[in-house]
Every structure is written in structure tokens, then in C-alpha cells.
Amino acid sequence: MKKILAIIVLLLGVMPLVQAQTLEEYLVEAGENSPTLKARYAEYQAALQRAPQVGALPDPEASFNFFLRPMERFMGNQVGDISVMQMFPWFGSQKAARDEANYMAQMKFASFIEAKINLYHEVRTIWYQLYLNDQESILMEKEVEIMKTLERLALAKYKSATAGGSSGAATPARGTTGGSTGSSGAAGSGGSGMAGMGGSGGAAAGSASGSNMAAGGSSMSSMGSSGGSSMVDVMLIRLQVKELENQVLIHHEARRPLQVAFNQLLRRRPSMTVISADTLLPAALPATLSLIEDSIRSNHPMLKMYEWDEKARESQLRMAQLMGRPMIGVGLNYMIFKPRMDDMTQMNMGGENMVMPMVTLTLPIYRKKYNAAQKEAEFSQQAAVYQKEATERELFTELENLLYQYQSSVSRINLLKDQVTLTEQTIRLLTTNYSVTGTGIEDIIRQRQSLLSYRLQQLQAITDQNIAVSAINRMMQGDN
């Protein structure tokens, strides 16, 4: 029972790892879990709260005054007064302040969008690298199996050559002439004894016998040589297999850091398995060059950020100009009177409270600070314009590099396709020739190395092409 429960728990733990996710699902998960995106969005929400603050009126002022000894007035004894005052900035100042705060908030939103598209591009890039690493491992593992099949063929030819050499050596020499019979028999037995050791007995028989014995010795020497060559072929193939197996091991070890980096972007456990795609097709450009350039100018978050910055500085300049004008205050003063006794008439006088409207006006006569604020806004606006221009030039320089990488990948893919086809045909011809004659194993190994190299380059070119397209989409803000 305990074993059954342990198996069930193990299966439940493995099931989430088995479920393969698509790239789009990975992107959604990365966007939902990224602390960087959450921080950028929180900064945007915080910036939005600035507009109600700067666009509100100043708090009204209330004052309460009480006399320790009532002040005698004609209207009676004044006990105290209560006043309320509300200041109003110059017309348009509040709107300019709200506009500036809203534009600054839009800058924060552009920063959030930039962080998002950069995150998506980084996720895609590592996912493509995982695909490249996995497919290279698969190619090499298949090549190992092919080389092992070729090794079995070479070993079979070696054994057949060795067996053919032994049977030929055991056959008595025919048509021997010249020399004594004992000498011929000795030579023949010597030849048969040395055939399995490289065919040196054929040369000894040729020096002791006539022309027919020399021909027989030459035949045995050829068989022995063929057998030795086939064993060398086996050893060469085994060396190639060892090299391929080592490369497969290196690729398996290289997958772990990629997987950890990918899971970190998705804020998951580093040990979680990432399933890459089975096939990655060549990617097309998302639009024509003119549309790509127009989209970058219109949508790239860095350019949008400087556009909002320029508008914010324009509102800041307008606000600085309006702040140099007077502020108007409107209020009321409520004076409290208590009746007083008139000494002559012995009657109570006054006692009626009074309400007095008030208007105040600030006098902005110290102009240096207002002029400096205007200059600050003007220079900041110029800086935003220059920064936008510089960023646009950098973006189009990056675009040219990406387009070059894309076109280079297209050219490599087309070239490698033809090279793979021709190399496969060459290998088929060489393999057929080897199965018949037993020669040319070095050429087969060399061509198989070339074929593997071409296929690896194909994978690299397709991966580079997809990464370049992802970067172009990032610049066009295609992920938003």
C-alpha cells in the first residue's frame, strides 16, 4: 500500500513537468510573474496619483482671533473674529500642472511597455537557444547511431576479409615450378602460416619459388592488406563515435544554465523542465521595410517616452510662466461684538456681529526664480528633443544590423539546403562504393562530418533568423 501511495505521489509530481507549454503560454506566464513588470506598473499607477495633487486648489486658511480684553468699538466690545481665506492660482495654472503630471505618468507607462517587450524578447531568445541546443543533441545522437551502423559494416568487412585471407592461405599452392619439391612445400607452408599476420609470407615464397608461386604469394599479401585496412577503418569510426558522444554530453550539460535562466524569467523553480519545440520554421519579416520604420517611429516606447517628456516640459514651461503672475485670495472675516454699556445714556450699545468680505493678491516681484524656472523648462524640453533624435538614430542603426542578420540567415539557409542535398548524394555513392570495394572509409567519415556541420549550421541559421525577427518585433512594439 505504501508503495502504491509513493508511486501516486511521484506521478502527481511529474505530471506538471510533462505538460508541454507553447511559447505564447510561456510569454503570458512571464508577464504575469515578472517582478520588474509589476514594479514598472506600480510606478505608473503612482505617477497617475500626482495629477489630482498638483491640480487641486490650495487648502483654505482659517484663523480664529480672541481678545484677552475686549476691544471697545462703536459697535460694541469686540471679543474676537473668525476669518476664512481661499487662494486661487492664476487662470490655467492648475490645468498646466495636471497636464505635466499626466505626461509624466505616460512616461512611466512607456517605461513599463519597454520592460515588457524586452522581457518577451529575452524569453523568446532563451527559448530559441534551448531549441537549438536540444536539436543539436538530437542530430548528434542520430549521427552516433549512423556511425555505429557504419562501424558494424566495416567490422563485417574486416571479418570477411580476414576469413577470405585464411581460406586462401590454407589452399595448397597450385602449378608450382622450379626449385625442389621440398623447397616448394616449405615455401607453401610458410606462406599459409604468415597469411593471417599481414601477408609477409607471400614475399618469402616469391623469393624462393618460380613465377606461379610469386603470383600466389602476391594474392595472399593483398588479402592481408585488405583486412588490415578494414580494421583501421573500424578504429577511425570508433574515434568519431567517441567525439560525437562527448559533444552530446556537453550539450546535455549546457542545457541546465539555459533552463535555469528561462525559469528565472518566469519566476519558477530553477529545476522545472522546459520543453522546447520539435520544429522551428524559418520566420518571415513582420512587414515591409517602410512599414517597419514607420512603426518604430510611432510605437517604440523609448521614442514615446521622449515625446511625453517633451510635452511634459512644455506644460512645465507654461506653468512656470503662469506662476509668475499674481495669486488671488478670496475670504470672509466674521467679527464678534458684545454689547457695552454707554456711560452717558446708561444703555447697551451695539452687540451686532459683522461680516466683512476680503480679497488678497500676491505680488510676484522677485522675478529671478520665475525666470529660472522658465529657463529650466526650456532646456529640459530641448534635451528631450535631442534625446529623441539620438535614440531614433540608434534604433535605426540597430534595425540595419538586424536586417543584415536576417538576410544573412536567409542566404545561409538556402546555401546549406543545397549543400546538404549534394553531401547526402555523395555519401550514398561513397557508401555504395565502400560496400563493394571496401575502400574509401576516410571519405565517408569526412563527408559525414561535413553533413553534420551543415545541418548544425542550418539549425543555427534558423535560430538566428527567428531571434532577429523577434528583435524587430520588439522594436515595432509588436508584443503590445
Side-chain angles (χ1 to χ4, degrees), residues 419-433:
Q419 288 177 321
V420 167
T421 301
L422 294 174
T423 306
E424 287 176 342
Q425 294 174 356
T426 303
I427 290 174
R428 283 195 293 269
L429 293 174
L430 289 173
T431 305
T432 302
N433 179 69

Side-chain angles (χ1 to χ4, degrees), residues 215-235:
S218 175
S219 175
M220 287 186 292
S221 175
S222 175
M223 292 179 187
S225 175
S226 176
S229 176
S230 295
M231 193 58 200
V232 172
D233 294 348
V234 173
M235 301 307 294

